Amino acid sequence: MSEAGVRRLCAANLLRGCSVLLAATAPRFFLDGFSVLGTPLTWLCACSVSVSALSVVLNAALGPSPPPRRGSLAHKVGFLKCCMYFLMSFGRAFLSLNTFLFAVLLSTFTTLQCLCVLGPNIQAWIRVFSKNGAMSIWDNNLQITTVCSVLGAWFGAFPIPLDWDRPWQVWPISCSLGATFGYLAGLIIAPLWIHWNRKQLTYKSR
Amino acid sequence: CPCCASPRMMPRWPVLLFLAWVSLLFAAGLGLFLSGFLLTRAELPQRSSCAEPPGPGPGPWPWRGQRPPRSCWLPRRFARALLVLIDALRFDFAAAAAARGRPRHYHGKLGVLRQLAAAQPRHGRLYRFRADAPTATMQRIKGLTTGSLPTFVDVGSNFASYAIREDNLLAQLVHNGRRVVFMGDDTWEGLFPKMFHRSYFFPSFNVKDLHTVDNGILQHLYSTVDGGEWDLLIAHFLGVDHCGHKHGPDHPEMAKKLLQMNEMLRTLVERLGNDTLLVVAGDHGMTDTGDHGGDSEKEVNAALFVYSKTPLFGTDPPEEPEVVPQVNLVPTLALLLGVPIPYSSIGEVMAELFATDGDAVSAALQQLDVYHINANQVDRFLRSYSLVAQDLPTEELQQLQDIFSSAVEEHAQLVAHVQEEKPSSPELQARLGRLLGRFQRYLREARAVCARSWARFRPLRMVAGCALIAASCLLCYVASALPAAPDSFYRSCLLAPLLWGLAAALLLGLACAVMQEGLDLLVVSSWAAAVSQVAFFWRWWGRQPKRAHSASSHPPVASISLRQRLQACPALAFPMGILLFRCGAMFSDSFVVAEARVVPFLLASLVALLVGKLHWDGRLTVPEGPRQQLLSSSSYRKESWHLLYLVAALLLCVRLSAAFHQCREESPQCRPSLFLAPLAGLRDARAKNLFYLACVAALVALVCAVRRWLRHCGNLNGSEPAVLFVRWGFPLLAVFVACYWAVASSAEDSLGKLQELVHVALVAFPWAVYGLVGAGLLLVLCKPVTVFAKDTRETAGPIVTPYLGVASSEVDFLHVIPQIYRRMQESLKSHLERGGCGAAVAAYGLGSVYSAALVIALTLLAFLLLLLHSERLSLAFLLLFLEAFVLLHIHARARSLAGDPFSVPWYAVISWLLAASQFFYSTGHQPIFPAIHWNAAFVGFHLDHSTNLLPALLVGANTFASHILFAVGCPLLLLWPFVCEAPSTQRRKARKEPREELHEEEEHMMEMRLREAPDRFSAALLQLGLKCLFVLGMQQLVLAGMLMVPHCACWARRFLFEALGFVVSSVCLLLGILLVMRVDCAVSAWFSRLQLR
């Protein structure tokens, strides 16, 4: 684990965090009456698009794994597989627009990140999400952000039955907000955690 | 051989006794809590009548000369009254703003009241109106009309509807030919069905809605007042209350609302006729957060304003507004309007309203007359009440009686005195004053006595009950965490506390006998419970240091155990966290309302967490070889995929079960599931037929699935009575149930002669089902062994292949896995070989003999409970069985991947009980009284019940159906991993290399492993039971704790249901464990018989 790697990770996370914040604020300048709580669906779209675009770009620019040869058959098949996995991760969410957009957002925070880092390799996914499976700081980062996003979405469900009468207390707004905050928290926690445990982190195959 | 040769039984009685003892501890705590919390009161059916005034008739005073028409008991003062109820009108909303302090939004907005009281002091007056606990609107409406102190559970009331059965003001008015018009809160519709001359109801459940009710009333109020077709007009405004709930009292919205009320009152006063009395009242107050329900000062302090265009009062008002208890309004209004006081009223008339004209003496005489009637009426009520119920203390009643009789005597003397001479002397005035004081004292004390026993919580009992429940929970936790220890410990930890408890009970009983006081069974039993708990903890503590000491003497052991404990921590933390969420969800009213959706969510989360944890620990993946590590990838085992499929199936079940939910009254936009209504109500014949077919299909599927499972386990071979019953009795039961549904759903269409036949069938089919189920349960209890033994003494070899002796040949061999009890076979073989010949006994289904009996019993119970529900809920029951099956399989898989099969982990227990409460909701129930399925009481009966016991049983079984099924099935959690362990490995082995089966001996033991280690078996059963009781008890504890906090009275109904469910669950849990023990007994007997052969 090199200092440069950690620095690159921090930069990437900073960029990702900025993209989330940007998605919440920037559309105000183009769209009249845009606000996160007022027009949640637009915000969901904006957030998913910006985060996924950034992830793809980041993966191309400073990705941890050497990109496969361009134009090769394997690359194309891999890309198709990626798309398939991404779509599969929506589950049966096509029934309503709300649920669909939430699924897109959560997939952006979880599945898409996995795809960018690990590629369409189920075995690698299984490995990364087990106890001693992380083999680089990128894996650790992935673990933490993904788990944080899912946990955030889970906790986001709790305010729904409460009678505070707030506009965001509806499915799936509170869950989306929870997932977003969880993701942001994960982006912050991951470098800190890696920094904290840098003595213990000795990756097996380096 | 450890099991067949040794008839060493597992220690049964300590286990059962321990569990029963713990259940009793909980029950004592619950009982104590409920006795402190549940205000109860008996309702009397008597009604006052105009012709029979209480006591001797009124005396011949001159002011009675001009008796107006249509007056009872006393001449009426007003022809009509206008009662404006403003919900949650606290006293300081009506009073002037305080001189000091920050001005509040609610201050000084009802100016019209103060102006009227100041400008016309003899026409209007403001009072403090003191509400009684519980300050919930429904109870207050009851109190305001019956003049009594309603409680949460009025014994004798009909739970199905809220209608008031007691004598009340409205009933008296209607009975005496007056017209009552109502507008406002639709709670009144349920309370007084068909009593109003005219009514305008508006929905009240949506507390967010500040204006619908109020604006609706205002639309009709003035025109109705002007129209004059009424004698009592009640307008119940809800805006202030809803505003309090939504924003709190100190909010600009509240100011707007109060100003609106002010405007309304001003307009009303302008339109008031001379013969009309205006009463403005709040039914209760509110706290600073806008809640109500408890008995804090701000909640009970409401405002009352009385006004009329003719002078009302003979004297000027006192400096400080008087305090008037809420019940006093009823007798006052009744006598002012000239109707009898309702029979159960315990209020005191507001005497100043009855003395207007004449000098002081004649005013006093008028008041005396009113008091006399009032006192006689209260005395009559107290006497008839003490005949019915014994909850009023006798010595206090005796004291009251003394005051009353002396006052009446004095009254009689005074009447004689007055009749003799014209009264005007100051001496007479003094006597009159004293007598008035006596009557007043009598009435006040009578009300105080009633309030003491009806309307006051007993906090000491509540705290003690809570403490008992908490201690029992701790006890469960501690005892379940004890190592699967020798029974000596349980015996020592059980016997001593029991003895201590019995001794305490005896001592208390003796003390009571010596002191000659009434023996309160509840108090005695809770003292005994407390003492026995102390004894238990004493014992446990006594053992604790020893263990610590012994551990410290072996440091490595201690460090290992410490590390293990640390590792076990997260494993414990997940399920406990979910339990915490479950309990925490009860703190919020909204979560209690949404519990039907919260519980499945938590269940799904728990199972997902379990799988995630297993994955994280790498238990699902193939153990990594060095080559794989290089590839840095891992893949799932085949079993892991099975586990994932099972989780998917569980999520599907949870999702589907949401289709059967009932609605609560708090969510008006919710529509109840269409599966809840009985088929008979369906108009569309085709839909009816389709649904009927679906229901029958569900029945058939249930029977087939159960039979298939039993066959799969090998328990459907041979001709044991229980096996025969499963073969023939189950289909017969299904046919009976289907016939009953057919008859019940088309009963109305049948014609003429068929009608009688249908009536017979409606009774006969349910009774056939009851009978068959009863017979089946008896059979399972008497002969629970469903093992088919095939004796093959002649064969030389000990090999038993799956092909041999298959009882039902049509079954393909994949599904008949004869469960062979090898160890026994071996021993028998050696035993017989010593005797000189080779032999073997193949026992089919021995490996799942415990669970088979439980499954049969559960299916029988399910048939019974199915019958009590409406037809279409059979789909929900099918789903219930499916989900339970999936849960058990997930548990078994998870166990096989990790862990010791002898202890049931927390997650399994918690998920099982979560599923139980999930299906409480998914069988169309809600913890509210109107949602109870009362129809269940008439399945197999024709609207004639001689006793209350049977219908209560039927309705209870209907309501707690899922609690019953899951509690009885609880031991399956322990058995299932053993049942599931064999098939996958054995089948492969059996097919490929039958010769090597001997090496796989351990694989085939299944449930016989439990029998092999009777001590561990009993300890595991005990632990399972204790864990269940702990989880159930925690929910009780949280709810009980919530109820201790004031303003949380709305949890009362939820708590009642939870407490009843707890009792049902614990009893059924004991029954389930008892059944397992019975099977164990029978298996032992079976073995000994086999050996004799």
Side-chain angles (χ1 to χ4, degrees), chain B residues 272-503:
Chain B
L272 216 56
N274 278 338
D275 58 347
T276 308
L277 177 72
L278 171 69
V279 178
V280 182
D283 59 346
H284 51 74
M286 61 169 79
T287 61
D288 283 336
T289 51
D291 301 316
H292 55 86
D295 55 356
S296 73
E297 184 57 32
K298 288 195 165 163
E299 285 163 289
V300 298
N301 205 351
L304 172 69
F305 180 76
V306 189
Y307 176 81
S308 119
K309 288 255 162 112
T310 51
L312 263 175
F313 303 97
T315 53
D316 283 329
E319 281 291 301
E320 189 64 20
E322 281 178 82
V323 175
V324 178
Q326 210 173 48
V327 284
N328 291 8
L329 189 64
V330 173
T332 310
L333 271 182
L335 292 182
L336 283 176
L337 292 174
V339 293
I341 304 178
Y343 195 90
S344 323
S345 159
I346 53 165
E348 166 200 345
V349 285
M350 296 159 68
E352 63 269 28
L353 285 167
F354 291 88
T356 47
D357 43 348
D359 55 351
V361 172
S362 72
L365 279 174
Q366 286 173 21
Q367 291 184 350
L368 191 62
D369 227 13
V370 177
Y371 267 131
H372 185 234
I373 285 239
N374 191 192
N376 270 308
Q377 170 260 328
V378 169
D379 179 59
R380 182 176 73 175
F381 165 69
L382 285 182
R383 265 189 245 180
S384 20
Y385 186 85
S386 55
L387 288 182
V388 175
Q390 273 71 44
D391 51 353
L392 296 178
T394 30
E395 55 267 36
E396 295 192 27
L397 279 179
Q398 192 54 48
Q399 274 176 6
L400 282 175
Q401 191 64 41
D402 292 345
I403 302 176
F404 176 72
S405 47
S406 76
V408 165
E409 211 169 290
E410 169 89 27
H411 180 255
Q413 283 175 9
L414 200 77
V415 166
H417 179 74
V418 170
Q419 274 172 340
E420 278 165 18
E421 51 188 297
K422 202 68 191 159
S424 61
S425 62
E427 182 242 3
L428 176 72
Q429 210 171 335
R431 262 184 88 182
L432 275 173
R434 278 202 305 276
L435 186 53
L436 281 181
R438 273 193 185 176
F439 273 124
Q440 215 166 26
R441 186 170 147 236
Y442 169 71
L443 288 168
R444 287 189 184 165
E445 291 201 358
R447 198 188 65 238
V449 167
C450 293
R452 262 201 295 282
S453 58
W454 295 341
R456 202 144 306 163
F457 300 128
R458 282 183 269 186
L460 190 68
R461 286 191 164 205
M462 286 164 70
V463 171
C466 256
L468 256 183
I469 298 176
S472 313
C473 278
L474 189 67
L475 191 151
C476 276
Y477 186 78
V478 163
S480 70
L482 287 173
D487 60 334
S488 68
F489 173 72
Y490 283 123
R491 211 161 276 167
S492 73
C493 268
L494 172 67
L495 276 183
L498 268 183
L499 286 179
W500 275 105
L502 278 179

Side-chain angles (χ1 to χ4, degrees), chain B residues 13-274:
Chain B
W13 292 112
V15 173
L16 275 181
L17 213 56
F18 202 100
L19 284 176
W21 172 58
V22 173
S23 309
L24 281 181
L25 289 183
F26 273 112
L30 268 181
L32 197 63
F33 182 85
L34 282 178
S35 76
F37 170 74
L38 267 193
L39 313 168
T40 52
R41 181 177 73 98
E43 282 185 356
L44 297 186
Q46 288 101 323
R47 284 168 189 271
S48 303
S49 82
C50 194
E52 299 166 8
W61 277 307
W63 68 289
R64 275 195 212 92
Q66 69 281 4
R67 169 183 275 255
R70 299 163 76 194
S71 289
C72 293
W73 295 12
L74 282 180
R76 73 177 184 200
R77 281 201 64 191
F78 289 97
R80 44 175 69 172
L82 177 51
L83 175 60
V84 178
L85 268 181
I86 300 179
D87 212 293
L89 182 69
R90 206 161 77 185
F91 179 75
D92 52 352
F93 292 179
R100 304 173 268 118
R102 188 168 72 83
R104 306 280 181 168
H105 285 292
Y106 51 79
H107 271 150
K109 295 298 184 290
L110 286 180
V112 61
L113 302 185
R114 265 173 297 123
Q115 285 161 16
L116 284 173
Q120 302 168 298
R122 300 235 165 167
H123 290 253
R125 196 174 282 184
L126 184 66
Y127 295 94
R128 286 179 186 274
F129 202 31
R130 199 155 193 84
D132 308 284
T135 50
T137 296
M138 186 181 299
Q139 269 80 21
R140 287 305 99 225
I141 295 176
K142 281 190 183 178
L144 275 172
T145 51
T146 60
S148 186
L149 304 172
T151 57
F152 286 119
V153 181
D154 290 340
V155 179
S157 69
N158 181 5
F159 281 127
S161 76
Y162 290 127
I164 295 183
R165 297 278 198 77
E166 264 184 314
D167 196 10
N168 59 70
L169 188 61
L170 269 66
Q172 284 299 343
L173 283 166
V174 171
H175 196 70
N176 289 295
R178 313 294 178 87
R179 293 157 298 178
V180 182
V181 176
F182 179 82
M183 44 189 73
D185 186 346
D186 61 0
T187 315
W188 290 69
E189 188 178 14
L191 289 175
F192 304 99
K194 296 178 191 157
M195 215 170 288
F196 299 111
H197 178 65
R198 202 138 37 97
S199 52
Y200 306 93
F201 295 117
F202 302 99
S204 61
F205 280 119
N206 186 4
V207 290
K208 309 277 168 51
D209 178 5
L210 303 189
H211 300 297
T212 307
V213 179
D214 293 6
N215 293 347
I217 298 174
L218 290 178
Q219 227 172 24
H220 300 288
L221 182 60
Y222 305 130
S223 57
T224 313
V225 169
D226 293 342
E229 287 193 354
W230 51 275
D231 295 302
L232 175 66
L233 194 155
I234 304 173
H236 190 158
F237 290 89
L238 279 179
V240 175
D241 180 56
H242 285 187
C243 186
H245 282 302
K246 194 177 174 191
H247 303 292
D250 194 13
H251 192 274
E253 279 295 326
M254 184 63 93
K256 276 191 219 163
K257 205 74 229 178
L258 288 173
L259 284 175
Q260 185 192 19
M261 291 295 112
N262 192 42
E263 208 47 49
M264 178 268 298
L265 288 174
R266 192 183 299 282
T267 321
L268 266 189
V269 167
E270 282 167 12
R271 294 166 182 241
L272 216 56
N274 278 338

Side-chain angles (χ1 to χ4, degrees), chain A residues 123 126-127 129 131 154 158 161, chain B residues 590-591 605 615-616 632 634:
Chain A
Q123 276 84 23
I126 289 174
R127 180 208 14 109
F129 290 102
K131 201 192 256 165
W154 190 74
F158 277 88
Chain B
S590 336
F591 274 108
S605 305
H615 169 90
W616 180 256
S632 76
S634 27

Side-chain angles (χ1 to χ4, degrees), chain B residues 974-1045:
Chain B
L974 176 65
L975 302 174
W976 216 257
F978 293 100
V979 177
C980 288
E981 76 179 357
S984 57
T985 52
Q986 193 212 18
R987 186 165 38 193
R988 208 168 49 236
K989 291 283 189 307
R991 208 184 308 160
K992 274 196 286 188
E993 38 212 343
R995 287 277 152 189
E996 278 179 21
E997 265 188 287
L998 286 177
H999 301 292
E1000 302 292 325
E1001 266 175 34
E1002 293 302 316
E1003 298 282 332
H1004 308 288
M1005 297 284 292
M1006 291 173 63
E1007 284 175 359
M1008 283 304 121
R1009 263 192 218 195
L1010 286 166
R1011 229 192 95 70
E1012 209 169 39
D1015 282 337
R1016 294 186 74 189
F1017 187 19
S1018 66
L1021 269 181
L1022 181 58
Q1023 277 190 358
L1024 175 67
L1026 285 173
K1027 281 177 175 174
C1028 277
L1029 285 176
F1030 172 77
V1031 174
L1032 290 170
M1034 278 307 281
Q1035 297 171 14
Q1036 299 296 310
L1037 182 63
V1038 170
L1039 274 174
M1042 278 314 292
L1043 288 171
M1044 307 264 297
V1045 185

